[in-house]
Amino acid sequence: MWGGRFAEGPSAVMREINASLPFDKQLWRQDIAGSKAHVAMLGATGIVSAEDAAAIGAGLDRVAADYQANGVPADDLTLEDIHMLTEARLADAIGPVAGRLHTARSRNDQVATDFRLWVRDAIDAVVAALEGLDAALLARAEQHAADVMPGFTHLQSAQPVTLGHHLMAYHEMVTRDLSRFRDARARLNLCPLGAAALAGTSFPIDRHATADALGFDGPTRNSLDSVSDRDFAIEYLTSAVQCSLHLSRLAEEFVLWASQPFGFVALSDAWSTGSSIMPQKRNPDAAELVRGHAGRILGCMTSLMVTMKGLPLAYSKDMQDDKPPAFEAHDLLGLSIAAMTGMVASATFRTDRMRALAESGFATATDLADWLVREAGLPFREAHHVTGRVVKRAEELAVTLDALPLDEMTAIDRRIDARVFDVLSVDASVASRTSFGGTAPDNVRAAIRAAQGDAA
Ligand code: ARG
C-alpha cells in the first residue's frame, strides 16, 4: 500500500513488529462502519462520483459479510492491519475503484475513529452488565433488609448491621461506577474522522455528516488532537480499574464469608469448584479470580498510560499498542461482572450464623453507652468507661449483653435500669440506627425503593 518509494520490502521481523492485524482484527465492524460513512460522504459531496461511492459501499458490505461468515484472516502480515486488509479485500471484490475509498482520510484518523467506536460499544456493554449486577444486589438486599450480621471495623465485630445494608453499600459503588462509564462515554462521543493524517484535508469533506452517520455528537475540533488523543481509552480503563477494585472487594468478602470460620455464605454449585484431592472442598475460585483480575486490569491501564506518556504530537506508532490493553481489560471486566452477578444472585446467605456472630461479639456495647448518655445523662466518655466494665463482666460470665442480669449491671452503675434491655438486642440496635444512611431495616428498604425509582 505504501511501497512506491521503496526499492526493497521490509524484513520479516519488521513485518511482525509492525503488524497490528492479529489484534486489531477485532475492530472490523467499526472499521467497516467508518469506511461506509466516509464513502457515503465522499459521494454526497461529489469528491468521488455517486456511482463509485455506491460501488465501494456495496463492496464494503460484501467484505463485512465475508468477515462475518468466515472470520477475519490474520495470517498475511504484509497487510499490516485491519484497515489495509479491508481495503485489499475491497479491491478483490470490486477492482481498482476500491482505491478511491482512502481519499481525504488517513489510517491515523481512521484508527482513532474505529477505536472510539469500539470503546463506545465496550462502555455500552459494561453499563448493561453493571445494571444487571445492580439489580441482583437490590433483589438480595430487599430479601435481607432486616437480617442482622456483625458489622466490622478492622475486621473486628464492631456494631450490628443488616445484610441488606451491607449489600446496598455495593449498590452505591456500582452506581458511581456506572456514572463514571456514562461520563466517559459522553466525553468520547466526538468523531475524529476527517482529521486525516494530522492537519486536516484540502478536500471539501463534510465532517458533520460522517460524525452524524456514526452516531457521534459532532466532529472533534482539532485535527492534531484528533489523531493523537487516546484519553478516551484511558478514561475507559480508569473507570474499569475503579469498577474492578469494587468487584474485587466484594469478591474478597465472598471468599472470607464462604470460609468455614465465617460461614456467612454458601456459594451455589454453579459458582463453586471442587478440589482434586480434598473431597470436602467447595472453593470460591470465581471470586478469587475476580479479585485477581483487578490486578490485571490495573496493569492494562498502566500499560496504556505509560505508552502515551511523553509522546509528541501527533500520531506515533507506539499508539498502535493502545488496543491490546483495552481489549484485555474489557474481556476481564466483562467476565468479572458476570461472575459477581451470578454469585450474588445465587448465593445462600447463612443469616442464622450471621445473627449468632452478631450477638456474640458484644456488638451492642455502643448502644449501651448511648443509652447511658441519653437516659441517665452521663457524659459519653464516662458512659464509655461504664460500658467497658459491663462488657468485662459479661465476658467473665460468658453471656451476651442482653443476657446479663440487671443486678450485675446496677452493681457496676446504679443509674442503669430495666429499660436498658430495650437497646441491648441486636435487632433493637439496628432498628435504632435511623439516621439518614443508617442501617435500620426501614432505611434500607427506603434506599432500595429510591434506587429502584432511579433505575426505572
Ligand atoms: N495499525 C495502526 C494503529 O493501530 C494504524 C495507524 C497507522 N498509521 C500510520 N501512520 N502508520 O495505530
Side-chain angles (χ1 to χ4, degrees):
M1 297 265 175
W2 38 253
R5 125 183 247 297
F6 289 80
E8 277 180 50
S11 82
V13 173
M14 177 63 218
R15 260 199 185 103
E16 192 177 341
I17 195 171
N18 205 31
S20 52
L21 185 56
F23 53 85
D24 69 16
K25 64 182 183 176
Q26 273 200 61
L27 294 176
W28 73 263
R29 285 188 182 80
Q30 290 79 9
D31 199 61
I32 296 274
S35 288
K36 286 193 69 176
H38 182 66
V39 78
M41 180 277 292
L42 292 178
T45 51
I47 296 169
V48 307
S49 71
E51 192 190 329
D52 287 351
I56 293 170
L60 286 166
D61 285 337
R62 281 168 60 190
V63 175
D66 182 51
Y67 288 164
Q68 178 73 48
N70 306 311
V72 179
D75 33 297
D76 182 1
L77 296 187
T78 58
L79 290 168
E80 225 178 291
D81 58 26
I82 184 64
H83 323 295
M84 308 259 260
L85 174 73
T86 300
E87 208 180 309
R89 286 291 97 89
L90 183 66
D92 295 344
I94 63 171
V97 67
R100 297 197 184 278
L101 169 61
H102 213 53
T103 313
R105 80 171 181 189
S106 148
R107 276 186 294 156
N108 295 350
D109 59 336
Q110 191 180 353
V111 74
T113 304
D114 292 2
F115 197 27
R116 274 193 197 226
L117 289 170
W118 183 89
V119 172
R120 196 174 71 182
D121 291 343
I123 290 175
D124 290 345
V126 168
V127 164
L130 280 178
E131 285 171 347
L133 172 59
D134 196 37
L137 286 167
L138 292 177
R140 301 313 303 268
E142 173 101 76
Q143 190 184 351
H144 296 292
D147 287 326
V148 175
M149 64 176 277
F152 300 96
T153 64
H154 314 269
L155 201 55
Q156 305 281 315
S157 268
Q159 292 174 352
V161 295
T162 60
L163 175 56
H165 196 53
H166 193 109
L167 293 171
M168 285 300 282
Y170 285 97
H171 156 75
E172 294 295 329
M173 296 176 231
V174 168
T175 302
R176 290 193 297 276
D177 291 336
L178 278 166
S179 98
R180 263 182 287 273
F181 282 113
R182 291 182 174 127
D183 197 41
R185 189 194 198 284
R187 219 177 342 271
L188 79 63
N189 206 32
L190 294 175
C191 185
L193 195 59
L198 75 165
T201 174
S202 56
F203 288 99
I205 58 171
D206 182 352
R207 293 194 58 207
H208 290 88
T210 42
D212 232 38
L214 293 169
F216 287 106
D217 298 329
T220 49
R221 286 176 291 269
N222 178 294
S223 62
L224 291 167
D225 177 51
S226 304
V227 294
S228 61
D229 145 53
R230 293 294 181 271
D231 59 12
F232 62 89
I234 291 178
E235 276 200 76
Y236 170 66
L237 286 171
T238 55
S239 305
V241 168
Q242 181 56 74
C243 179
S244 74
L245 298 183
H246 289 150
L247 296 173
S248 177
R249 295 184 74 176
L250 181 57
E252 165 62 10
E253 300 213 290
F254 270 72
V255 172
L256 270 180
W257 291 6
S259 70
Q260 285 71 26
F262 269 84
F264 283 6
V265 74
L267 295 177
S268 65
D269 284 354
W271 294 102
S272 308
T273 50
S275 157
S276 53
I277 173 167
M278 295 164 284
Q280 86 283 11
K281 290 296 280 293
R282 283 171 69 85
N283 293 330
D285 289 35
E288 292 166 90
L289 286 162
V290 170
R291 196 174 58 187
H293 285 0
R296 292 176 61 190
I297 293 169
L298 176 63
C300 292
M301 180 199 76
T302 308
S303 163
L304 182 53
M305 284 184 171
V306 176
T307 295
M308 296 308 294
K309 175 186 175 298
L311 289 186
L313 300 187
Y315 179 85
S316 295
K317 198 64 175 252
D318 317 41
M319 290 165 67
Q320 178 163 284
D321 282 342
D322 57 357
K323 287 169 281 295
F327 294 164
E328 184 183 358
H330 183 61
D331 289 345
L332 293 171
L333 184 65
L335 271 173
S336 299
I337 298 171
M340 280 325 300
T341 305
M343 279 183 271
V344 167
S346 65
T348 304
F349 293 103
R350 298 270 185 240
T351 50
D352 46 345
R353 171 80 181 151
M354 290 182 173
R355 168 173 287 274
L357 284 196
E359 285 172 342
S360 73
F362 306 110
T364 56
T366 315
D367 299 272
L368 172 55
D370 287 347
W371 185 90
L372 286 166
V373 169
R374 209 171 41 241
E375 303 297 332
L378 275 66
F380 184 77
R381 277 290 148 238
E382 193 187 345
H384 186 285
H385 181 77
V386 169
T387 303
R389 295 182 57 204
V390 172
V391 167
K392 185 160 174 282
R393 188 65 189 136
E395 204 166 23
E396 282 161 11
L397 298 176
V399 294
T400 60
L401 284 181
D402 60 343
L404 187 65
L406 181 61
D407 54 359
E408 293 287 350
M409 288 194 258
T410 50
I412 291 165
D413 194 302
R414 279 186 300 99
R415 290 168 289 189
I416 302 177
D417 62 52
R419 292 172 304 151
V420 77
F421 290 107
D422 293 345
V423 303
L424 290 182
S425 75
V426 291
D427 291 301
S429 172
V430 296
S432 74
R433 299 278 193 267
T434 54
S435 55
F436 185 78
T439 194
D442 286 347
N443 284 25
V444 173
R445 291 192 187 97
I448 295 167
R449 276 195 304 277
Q452 282 160 344
D454 288 347

